[in-house]
Every structure is written in C-alpha cells, then in structure tokens.
Amino acid sequence: MAASQKPASQKKVIISCALTGSIHTPTMSDALPVTPDQIVEQGVGAAEAGAAILHLHARDPLTGQPTPDPAVFMQFLPRLKQSTEAVLNITTGGSLNMTVQERLAAPLQASPEMCSLNMGSMNFGIFPLADRYKTWKHDWEEPYLRGTDDFIFRNTFRDIAYILEHLGEGCGTRFEFECYDVGHLYTLAHFLDRGLVKPPLFVQTIFGILGGIGAEERNLVFMRETADRLFGDDYAWSVLAAGRHQIPFTTMAAVMGGNVRVGLEDSLYLAKGRLAQNSAEQVAKIRRILEELSLEVATPDEARAMLALKGADQVAF
C-alpha cells in the first residue's frame, strides 16, 4: 500500500508551530511576536497547546524587522528550552537579502536539534500584501514587501551542500526540508542519492506562496505521491499552507497520514475575518480537529524519536 494510502491511525501527528517568520510585518497584526519576550510567551503557549516543534525566526525588537543576529536569538532560545519540552527548530532561510553565512550564524552558534532548509532558489513574491495597507508602523515594511517583485531567494546546490556539511555534519542538526514546489522534492532526492542527507527525512511541503506550487487539492495529492515515489518509507511528511489555506490543507494532510504546521508565520488568521491572537490559538484549533478525527498528537519526545533527533541536551544553549 502506498504511503499516501496508509491509515492515518498508524502513527501520531506532529504539530509544528512557526511563531513569527519573515513574511508578515508588524502593521499586519498586533499579535505578531517581535520581541524576545513575545516570542517566548507565544512559544510557551504554542507548546502548551500541543506543538511538538517550534519553528523560530528572530526580529529586531524595536522595528520588527527580521534579523539574523545570534545575540537576538540567544535572548529567547535558552528561555524556550527552559520553559518547554518542544523541539526548537531554527530557520536557515532567514529573510530577504541575507547571505548564507548570515543565515547560518545563529544556527552554527546554537547547534540545534533541527533547522529548516529551503530546497532550492525561487521567486518568493510577497509584494501583493503591500496593497492591503495604506499606513505603516515602520518605514521598512512597504519597500521590504514591494521589493519582492524583483527578488530571488537563493539556495543553490552549493549553498545547500554547504549547509548540510557545516550544520548537518558539523553540528549533528537534522532538517525540516522545505519544499515549495515539486522540483524541490527531486533536489532533496539528489542529496539523498549522494548520501549528504540520511533518513528519516522530515519533508515539509508548502503551498500557496507566490512563486511556489499553488494551494490546490490536486497539488497536495501530487506532492505526496511524488514524495512517496522518491522516498518510500524513509520520510515523514508534513504540510503547511499560506493564509486562508492553512487549516483546510493541514486537515487534509492529517487525514492522508501527514503531519501539520500552523502559526503566525504562515497565516495571521484563526478564521475568516478573524485575526488570531497568538499562534497557540491555531495550534489548539488544529489539535481539536485532529482529535475529532481520532488522531493522536505526538509529544515532543515522540517527535524526536520519529525524526531521529539528537535531543535537547545536545544543543549549545
């Protein structure tokens, strides 16, 4: 039986929560966590609501602009480790215009259990968001968004190999492989064939970002079937979808036997026309749905076992 046809009851569902990201800006929602205190508060809340993995970016505490500064990460990473059992998953994607070395500065210092890893260079268009707002809290926000009509997020084969060598082999960190389109799955298969990544793979398929694969049901099935063909039983599948697609797509993924990701990085809303007050609300919502479907939610330690992580005692913070 193909993995996409396996009964979802065969395993527990890992809930990941992405707290702040680098797409949304402070004008868009007062709930978006910006300061280390806010990130800690929302991270603890999300973990208590059922998130086994917390996906983490940093922001300048004064302006809310994404930052790669390890000193800012270290204002919340140790506190989250002390306050939760969750797996702390640090971005290597960072945000617009950061070099690979800048994006790796905090992860290399922290030596975390898990990091995200975008599986290719791509157009990453968030410029349509700028048309929704007339006034801005900070001067950087509008040009930051509008500039993405001429922006390519860079992760070349050489960049990916560099990250796998220095962070994966060098620190024992495993990855949330972020696949925004079907070609990214084949890129991951390439690195698997070269022996630069090892199972079990944690494959995060992403839908609804302008420049990536669209949020259509047929694409969800296609991405899953492609991953099944490429990776067989050697991977754990997870899904996130942008904006209004967040809950419908994660629900469909769970029914298909997948894991799920929610959080304010991916959507600012809890329901149509209703902004979420924090990421924990989204975690609680998807957890209720999972439980109503008779699916069990994985604890952080169960997620560690499923993904072969090194354990929180092996991180450097």
Side-chain angles (χ1 to χ4, degrees), residues 52-238:
I53 298 174
L54 300 178
H55 174 76
L56 301 162
H57 290 240
R59 301 262 185 167
D60 183 308
L62 297 179
T63 67
Q65 191 164 8
T67 177
D69 188 351
V72 179
F73 277 92
M74 289 303 166
Q75 291 179 46
F76 59 79
L77 288 175
R79 295 164 63 190
L80 283 171
K81 180 185 176 184
Q82 292 164 7
S83 302
T84 78
E85 298 296 324
V87 175
L88 303 185
N89 170 5
I90 303 175
T91 180
T92 68
S95 72
L96 311 187
N97 303 319
M98 293 181 188
T99 65
V100 173
Q101 288 71 28
E102 288 172 330
R103 292 188 268 128
L104 283 187
L108 287 174
Q109 181 173 322
S111 185
E113 295 182 79
M114 176 171 280
C115 280
S116 65
L117 178 52
N118 297 51
M119 293 310 296
S121 303
M122 61 179 291
N123 291 328
F124 202 110
I126 53 177
F127 56 91
L129 294 174
D131 293 333
R132 302 180 186 180
Y133 305 91
K134 300 301 182 184
T135 60
W136 303 88
K137 289 183 179 179
H138 302 285
D139 291 341
W140 67 269
E141 296 178 73
E142 184 175 14
Y144 175 86
L145 296 169
R146 294 198 184 280
T148 62
D149 68 348
D150 191 32
F151 171 74
I152 298 172
F153 174 83
R154 171 185 164 137
N155 245 18
T156 64
F157 286 96
R158 185 177 297 179
D159 292 337
I160 294 169
Y162 181 90
I163 294 169
L164 292 172
E165 176 187 356
H166 289 82
L167 190 55
E169 293 297 323
C171 298
T173 297
R174 293 183 65 81
F175 296 94
E176 170 198 17
F177 294 107
E178 294 191 332
C179 297
Y180 291 79
D181 214 334
V182 66
H184 291 178
L185 294 172
Y186 284 91
T187 296
L188 178 55
H190 164 80
F191 283 104
L192 180 64
D193 290 342
R194 287 173 59 184
L196 296 181
V197 300
K198 296 177 176 61
L201 308 176
F202 187 43
V203 180
Q204 187 75 256
T205 49
I206 300 168
F207 301 86
I209 296 295
L210 184 59
I213 197 166
E216 299 179 23
E217 293 178 18
R218 71 188 75 185
N219 290 339
L220 181 72
V221 174
F222 178 58
M223 289 285 275
R224 179 65 195 270
E225 290 176 344
T226 303
D228 284 348
R229 290 196 304 272
L230 293 174
F231 310 124
D233 292 328
D234 289 337
Y235 83 109
W237 181 49
S238 186

Side-chain angles (χ1 to χ4, degrees), residues 36-50:
D37 285 348
Q38 291 167 344
I39 291 171
V40 170
E41 179 182 5
Q42 291 211 27
V44 170
E48 290 176 346

